[in-house]
Amino acid sequence: IRRQRQMCIRDSINSRDVDKLAHAIKSIIGSEIPKGIDEVIIEIIDCCSDLMKLNKLIKNLNIPQRFRIELRHYDEDLGPAHQHNNGFKVALKYNPSYIVFLDNDVEVDRKWLSKAIEFMEKHRDVAVAQYMLISLHDRKSIDRYCNLVDPLLYGYHIYMGEDYHAVKHKLRPIKCFYPDGAAFIVRVNAIKKCLLNDGSIYNSAFFIVADDLDFGWRVWLSGQKVVTIPNAVVHHMRSFKGLKVNPRFIYYQVRNKLLAMIINYELPNLLRFLTLYLVSTFLTALIVQKINATYSKAIIKGIIDALKELRLALTQRKHVQRYVRRVRDEYVLKTVMISLSLTTVSYTHLTLPTN
């Protein structure tokens, strides 16, 4: 185990969230540091916040000796994907064994870091682990436990919204398709095997939505695992409860899922599932047109703009298929995707062995 670890907090895009950031940092510096770690560096990647207010916040915090805070501020909205990438590239200069990514609207449990690193040291085939996300609103509802998708990349979230304390005895470390961007830990040496051609962990072209999905997909294609650790808890104040549908979200969802398919699927599955996705998406646009024309336009615009990004997507596809991929699509489809033909879904094959 290396003597240094790094954590990255990705701040939000406006100064109104500085108070949330302060709450997050206080919970981190008040948490337990695992044995063998000399220093924890908190790298804040901020966009568009009040810089004076941020500097004042950091100055007024009573930072323990083994913690250090560094701030990187940008005057433009880079988007979550780019912010994760900047945090990752900055973190690499410290040569850490692990990097933790957190949103600013979180509160960590006292042993959140100890539990995660203990798990990662025991399971060397796991490259990425998601924290157990519990709602910061009521401190009992499950925000995210396991993120899954079907071959058309429609999402499934196990136990979302259920009482964590009521189902806690059922929860086990579980394979998931991708980590939720709000809180996850990566093993640095492992994650270097599934970076994009520009050395990025996330696809900056995505800006927001499905960027974590694309990242998790590449981890699985590299022959490594993404897992949720149910006893490593982070409370998260998600900005929307469930799925808040708006034209901007719909646009990025359609656009980015198309790009993710183009980049990651093998050619036969790309032709098969991309065709199905386009047909289903066009039908949705036609149906939604009668209910809300704005939503329908967002869907069509997402398809058109995905085609505009085709050259970049094909360049990234070439890199992923040649240098990242170590397993066939069938392995990923069987191991961690939901079958389109299933009427009832079993998750027992996703849990890790207890030993």
Side-chain angles (χ1 to χ4, degrees):
I1 303 174
R2 296 195 63 84
R3 300 292 292 176
Q4 189 173 0
R5 306 288 186 266
Q6 164 111 12
M7 295 189 295
C8 297
I9 296 180
R10 179 178 59 79
D11 188 18
S12 190
I13 62 171
N14 57 66
S15 59
R16 289 175 299 175
D17 287 331
V18 171
D19 292 336
K20 293 180 182 178
L21 176 63
H23 183 78
I25 294 176
K26 287 176 182 177
S27 71
I28 293 169
I29 62 179
S31 65
E32 176 183 285
I33 300 179
K35 293 180 180 179
I37 295 182
D38 292 334
E39 185 178 34
V40 176
I41 302 169
I42 304 174
E43 189 79 38
I44 302 172
I45 307 298
D46 169 68
C47 291
C48 307
S49 295
D50 186 324
L51 187 55
M52 290 183 62
K53 191 173 181 179
L54 273 175
N55 283 322
K56 183 178 179 181
L57 158 69
I58 295 170
K59 184 178 180 181
N60 291 338
L61 286 171
N62 184 20
I63 307 297
Q65 187 175 4
R66 287 197 289 172
F67 287 91
R68 177 153 54 99
I69 294 181
E70 295 191 3
L71 170 65
R72 296 188 179 271
H73 172 79
Y74 300 88
D75 290 324
E76 58 179 324
D77 182 5
L78 302 176
H82 206 139
Q83 285 176 284
H84 274 93
N85 289 336
N86 283 3
F88 176 72
K89 290 176 180 178
V90 169
L92 288 180
K93 73 179 183 180
Y94 302 108
N95 193 31
S97 296
Y98 298 100
I99 301 174
V100 179
F101 293 85
L102 295 171
D103 277 1
N104 68 320
D105 54 348
V106 299
E107 176 188 304
V108 303
D109 272 15
R110 179 165 177 76
K111 293 188 176 182
W112 73 292
L113 192 56
S114 301
K115 294 288 187 182
I117 291 181
E118 178 185 357
F119 178 89
M120 297 294 281
E121 289 298 320
K122 185 177 179 181
H123 299 85
R124 304 299 299 182
D125 58 339
V126 174
V128 181
Q130 178 187 305
Y131 280 90
M132 183 74 210
L133 294 176
I134 309 297
S135 172
L136 192 53
H137 295 284
D138 62 15
R139 296 183 178 275
K140 65 177 184 179
S141 299
I142 294 177
D143 181 43
R144 289 292 186 272
Y145 168 52
C146 179
N147 301 311
L148 299 173
V149 296
D150 62 27
L152 301 187
L153 306 188
Y154 293 115
Y156 301 79
H157 304 288
I158 304 174
Y159 287 125
M160 186 174 71
E162 296 195 31
D163 188 324
Y164 172 65
H165 303 289
V167 300
K168 185 178 179 180
H169 66 284
K170 301 179 183 179
L171 303 180
R172 300 289 185 273
I174 189 170
K175 291 176 281 187
C176 50
F177 189 73
Y178 65 94
D180 190 283
F184 65 95
I185 182 171
V186 303
R187 190 191 312 277
V188 174
N189 287 340
I191 220 64
K192 288 179 179 179
K193 300 175 184 178
C194 47
L195 301 179
L196 289 170
N197 48 308
D198 62 354
S200 297
I201 187 170
Y202 272 24
N203 194 328
S204 294
F206 282 34
F207 189 78
I208 192 173
V209 183
D211 44 359
D212 44 11
L213 181 154
D214 174 72
F215 166 57
W217 199 345
R218 276 184 276 115
V219 175
W220 282 103
L221 289 180
S222 71
Q224 303 177 98
K225 294 177 181 176
V226 181
V227 171
T228 297
I229 314 171
N231 66 344
V233 175
V234 171
H235 292 86
H236 180 222
M237 188 178 292
R238 197 169 292 274
S239 58
F240 54 85
K241 189 174 183 180
L243 177 61
K244 183 178 180 181
V245 179
N246 60 68
R248 182 171 181 263
F249 181 91
I250 292 173
Y251 163 75
Y252 279 114
Q253 185 181 57
V254 171
R255 171 185 177 271
N256 293 347
K257 285 184 176 181
L258 282 170
L259 292 175
M261 286 185 181
I262 293 169
I263 294 167
N264 296 302
Y265 267 133
E266 290 175 308
L267 186 57
N269 285 321
L270 174 61
L271 296 176
R272 175 187 175 192
F273 294 124
L274 185 64
T275 301
L276 287 173
Y277 184 75
L278 285 172
V279 170
S280 66
T281 304
F282 272 120
L283 289 174
T284 301
L286 291 174
I287 295 170
V288 171
Q289 172 69 30
K290 300 178 180 179
I291 303 171
N292 190 316
T294 304
Y295 289 176
S296 181
K297 290 178 182 177
I299 293 172
I300 299 302
K301 189 175 189 303
I303 295 172
I304 294 172
D305 284 4
L307 294 175
K308 292 180 180 179
E309 296 286 347
L310 187 58
R311 178 178 293 182
L312 174 62
L314 290 176
T315 300
Q316 293 172 336
R317 172 182 173 78
K318 182 179 179 180
H319 174 82
V320 169
Q321 301 302 318
R322 180 176 295 181
Y323 300 109
V324 175
R325 179 182 289 279
R326 292 295 178 268
V327 298
R328 303 296 301 270
D329 279 353
E330 294 310 309
Y331 168 77
V332 180
L333 289 164
K334 181 180 179 180
T335 303
V336 77
M337 277 190 173
I338 301 297
S339 172
L340 290 174
S341 63
L342 289 180
T343 54
T344 59
V345 180
S346 171
Y347 307 118
T348 55
H349 68 290
L350 297 171
T351 56
L352 298 188
T354 53
N355 60 347

